[in-house]
Amino acid sequence: MMLPGKADIEAAADLVYGAFPATPQRVWPLLAERAGTEVWVKHENHTPIGAFKIRGGLAYMAQCDADSMVTATRGNHGQSVAYAARQAGKRVTVVVPEGNSREKNAAMRAFGADLAVHGRDFQDSLEHALSMADAERLHFLPSFHPALVAGVATWGYELLRAVPHLDALYVPIGLGSGICGAIAAREALGLGTEIIGVVARKAASYALSFEAGRAVSTNSADTMADGMACRTPNEAALEIVLKHAARIVTVDDNEIEAAMRHYFTDTHNVIEGAGAAPLAALLKERESMAGKAVGLVASGGNIDIEVYRRVLAGD
């Protein structure tokens, strides 16, 4: 897949800004003190769905002629397409796995999506959504697509235009639109910022694939960071990551949860597991990143209250 260029990203930005303004990027002194370096946080938890995915949904829906569609998600992608579909007067069915976040499910319904529950994880839900598309003649809306990447790239474009001196930018990896969008933004702006992927140890398919130089799937993706719970890499996304990412850092669930607590104590922002993973990775690499200017994307803030209570309590 060709990366979206500057014109593609700016066209997607026009669509995004028709729905909401650019999100802020902020320096938080306590986070900088904790990390031992200059830290900029891109607050994608401040979008109308509380996550960066809304950008891709708006861009995709603008080029989609179908009136009825189906997709699969762990939550934020589903909220994105539900929001965008309602704006466009379209219908979308979202397939989620069993035990999915109750609050993300409720939000998707509130944005107008029809929910179907199937399977033990995202991969099972994805395969079921593909079957539904075939059986019911619905348009299948993927979780990775050039239009989605162009839309998502707008957050990286905003950040890197505002802070072009960043030495590195940490991005969580689920299926890959976030990191590919960040890479596209960097390339469009002609910068040298290192793009560093972050995965959960219990959902390490992209880290394993990066090391092997080819797609490597895992048998499970049982991490509390549901936005990164992918066990089968997307081939197109992986090709871009292999070519353009500096490295991939693996963090465990305890490190992710600690980062969530740090975000609360240091910034008083509620950040979900995937959104906190970049901070966990930076803290893991604290010594080697000392003295550099670093960006973190707080990619979402959607987490069930009982899970967040447990995380804050450190249980």
Side-chain angles (χ1 to χ4, degrees), residues 42-216:
K42 182 59 169 171
H43 279 286
E44 291 299 282
N45 58 312
H46 292 177
T47 75
I49 70 163
F52 78 102
K53 291 279 192 179
I54 188 172
R55 298 170 180 268
L58 289 164
Y60 186 94
M61 211 61 65
Q63 55 86 62
C64 179
D65 294 330
D67 291 324
S68 297
M69 58 200 73
V70 62
T71 193
T73 190
R74 286 302 305 266
N76 288 338
H77 170 69
Q79 289 184 66
S80 167
V81 297
Y83 179 98
R86 186 174 68 176
Q87 297 282 93
K90 302 174 184 288
R91 296 292 301 175
V92 61
T93 298
V94 178
V95 184
V96 300
E98 297 171 5
N100 199 51
S101 161
R102 290 199 303 271
E103 293 176 25
K104 286 182 179 179
N105 287 354
M108 285 183 275
R109 289 191 181 99
F111 285 126
D114 297 318
L115 247 62
V117 179
H118 182 90
R120 63 187 175 93
D121 60 14
F122 170 75
Q123 188 64 31
D124 285 349
S125 297
L126 173 61
E127 291 168 8
H128 185 68
L130 287 165
S131 296
M132 286 183 65
D134 184 55
E136 301 179 27
R137 297 187 178 184
L138 299 172
H139 173 79
F140 176 71
L141 199 163
S143 299
F144 189 87
H145 182 276
L148 294 174
V149 175
V152 166
T154 59
W155 74 256
Y157 199 69
E158 291 169 10
L159 173 63
L160 292 173
R161 284 184 69 189
V163 197
H165 69 277
L166 287 180
D167 296 299
L169 173 58
Y170 288 85
V171 186
I173 304 177
L175 204 57
S177 65
I179 189 169
C180 291
I183 289 167
R186 179 196 66 186
E187 295 297 297
L189 292 168
L191 300 175
T193 308
E194 285 191 327
I195 307 296
I196 302 165
V198 186
V199 300
R201 189 171 302 282
K202 293 182 178 180
S205 63
Y206 273 88
L208 296 171
S209 301
F210 194 81
E211 183 178 355
R214 58 177 176 82
V216 177

